[in-house]
Amino acid sequence: MSFKLLLVVMCLWIWFLSLAFTISDEGLMRVSLKRRNLNFQSLNSSRIKRVIHQRNLESVDQNCCSKDVVYLKNYLDVQYFGEIGIGSPPQYFNVVFDTGSSNLWVPSSKCIFSIACYLHSKYRSRISSTYNEIGTPCKIPYDDGYIYGFFSQDNVKVGDIIIKDQEFSEIIWEANLALLAFPFDGILGLGFQGISVGKVTPVWYNMIEQGHIKDRVFSLWLNHDPMAEIGGEIVFGGVDKRHFRGEHTYVPLSQKGYWQIEVGDILLGNNTTGLCEGGCAAIVDSGTSLIAGPTGVVTQINHAIGAEGYVSIECKNIVQNYGNMIWESLISELNPEILCVDIGLCSNNGFQRIDDVIETVVHNENLDRPFCTFCNMIVLWIQVQLKKSNVKEKVLKHVDELCERLPKPVGQAFINCNSISTMPDITFTIGNKLFSLPPEQYILRVDEGSVCYSGFVALDVPYPQGPIWVLGEIFLEAYHTVFDYENLRIGFAEAA
């Protein structure tokens, strides 16, 4: 009898603790994330390849998005993902919680001609009692092309809550063989509805509309420790104070669609890199490990950290043939923005375009003469060096060395793992405050730490949309991030 009484007391005590936890976390919903370690193949194949005009996307609704530009990525470098359920009873999937996109998509049981589908969990509508057929076809941009599917509606379980009647994409064709390497099944977009293919309402919008979370905000903590049991956590409805130190620095969104803000100068050690002193756009993106930015700045970073594996013939030819002319023009205080037009390497608008497709020059296989981009980079580099030295030979020699560090067309930049401790901090200016990344943060180690890569890759977007930075998981591991939909702002604080 005493044993039964003890059992009842223990059950009541557990129930009380559970109730207390629910009350203390009222309005908050947590999703634990898993972390995978990158390997040589996944990181070397990863890329943020190009930027295309949104109007060229062949989606269900040609007017689906208000943004002019969408950049493409292949998710092969993503390290963090979590579990959701779709249907009744729930069918479980590992998904990337991606602030750089807005759709929810998973493989469909009707995906029978793509090998990748057989290696991942597939949604089976026939066994869900809450499934509603929509059937409208859709094409979601991915890497070099699209993945194909159709829209459906069902309940979605995220953490302990169920979002009713959520529209999502069942994928029936995954043509890219790279999808075979995914350790996850699909993507859950946390971007705005404006960039959603088909204008589908994002999952987190419906969390708010259905009253599941108290405040219109979510926060992200990524655990940099590869040995930790918990890889990270998303908190919908607020923040967990255990995940950060000090106060958040908040900056307003500069454009709604992506979680996009404005950043100021990027410092290499204590030195300016020049390009973003007047401000650059930056997209905060949990769907990539990398930090992408203008080739002119990324090249300066790669030079400083000794990155290897680059091509540079065209760039060096411009330095040899036009370096003196560019130097004299800048010394004479001619307008640097039109200098490359004056010497005949750029068209009147200063940029080269092909059929409304804009690609970073190192990834663009269609341009036979990418001299304009190289010329503009060289002008920038000479401007930066003029602040340090007025000796022409010294400056042009340094610029020639920078040409040797231009990113190659595919893959990442190798780094000597033994020299990490001597590398400079890379610092972003956000909201008039400095957010530094030490080399241990921006260097990616793979194959048990025996191979090291630079976490910086090139992405060139012409004016007026660019220049653009993409701040991926490397940055988000260092800084706990609050995505505030109520006030249309993003906050950063040192991660704990």
Side-chain angles (χ1 to χ4, degrees), residues 73-121:
K73 55 193 177 184
N74 65 11
Y75 294 101
L76 285 175
D77 60 303
V78 171
Q79 298 186 76
Y80 299 90
F81 53 93
E83 187 178 73
I84 66 168
I86 303 178
S88 302
Q91 302 169 45
Y92 289 98
F93 302 88
N94 284 321
V95 297
V96 174
F97 289 85
D98 178 22
T99 59
S101 67
S102 297
N103 290 84
L104 168 61
W105 60 264
V106 294
S108 171
S109 61
K110 298 177 177 62
C111 181
I112 57 177
F113 295 111
S114 292
I115 298 175
C117 286
Y118 289 93
L119 300 179
H120 297 97
S121 298

Side-chain angles (χ1 to χ4, degrees), residues 257-333:
Y258 293 110
W259 288 95
Q260 181 174 315
I261 59 175
E262 183 173 292
V263 298
D265 197 11
I266 288 82
L267 303 178
L268 183 54
N270 295 319
N271 300 314
T272 178
T273 54
L275 183 64
C276 296
E277 288 180 298
C280 288
I283 295 168
V284 183
D285 186 354
S286 62
T288 177
S289 281
L290 306 171
I291 295 179
T295 301
V297 179
V298 171
T299 301
Q300 293 180 62
I301 293 172
N302 286 337
H303 178 266
I305 64 180
E308 299 177 357
Y310 299 88
V311 293
S312 56
I313 295 175
E314 293 92 344
C315 179
K316 293 170 76 71
N317 284 340
I318 292 176
V319 175
Q320 180 178 350
N321 295 322
Y322 297 95
N324 288 327
M325 188 183 305
I326 294 173
W327 169 272
E328 296 298 336
S329 298
L330 291 174
I331 290 294
S332 301
E333 298 185 350

Side-chain angles (χ1 to χ4, degrees), residues 415-426:
I415 300 294
N416 183 348
C417 295
N418 295 325
S419 64
I420 291 178
S421 61
T422 65
M423 295 177 187
D425 288 357
I426 310 297

Side-chain angles (χ1 to χ4, degrees), residues 35-52:
R35 186 185 196 274
R36 66 152 179 160
N37 292 323
L38 296 176
N39 57 35
F40 176 86
Q41 181 179 1
S42 63
L43 188 55
N44 202 46
S45 300
S46 68
R47 55 187 174 269
I48 300 176
K49 185 169 184 180
R50 59 178 176 152
V51 177
I52 63 175

Side-chain angles (χ1 to χ4, degrees), residues 133-151:
E133 181 180 355
I134 296 178
T136 307
C138 64
K139 298 167 68 174
I140 297 176
Y142 172 84
D143 198 13
D144 285 324
Y146 299 89
I147 54 176
Y148 298 83
F150 58 90
F151 291 120

Side-chain angles (χ1 to χ4, degrees), residues 168-237:
F168 66 100
S169 297
E170 290 190 53
I171 300 304
I172 59 174
W173 179 248
E174 298 180 342
N176 195 313
L177 291 177
L179 293 168
L180 293 170
F182 275 12
F184 42 83
D185 306 304
I187 306 295
L188 191 155
L190 295 173
F192 290 89
Q193 190 170 5
I195 60 169
S196 173
V197 173
K199 276 197 172 178
V200 170
T201 303
V203 172
W204 66 280
Y205 275 46
N206 281 329
M207 284 185 190
I208 295 170
E209 293 300 319
Q210 296 179 20
H212 293 299
I213 56 178
K214 180 180 177 181
D215 296 320
R216 293 149 58 97
V217 63
F218 63 91
S219 56
L220 179 63
W221 167 68
L222 301 180
N223 193 343
H224 186 58
D225 182 2
M227 306 305 294
E229 184 177 349
I230 297 177
E233 189 174 63
I234 298 179
V235 178
F236 291 95

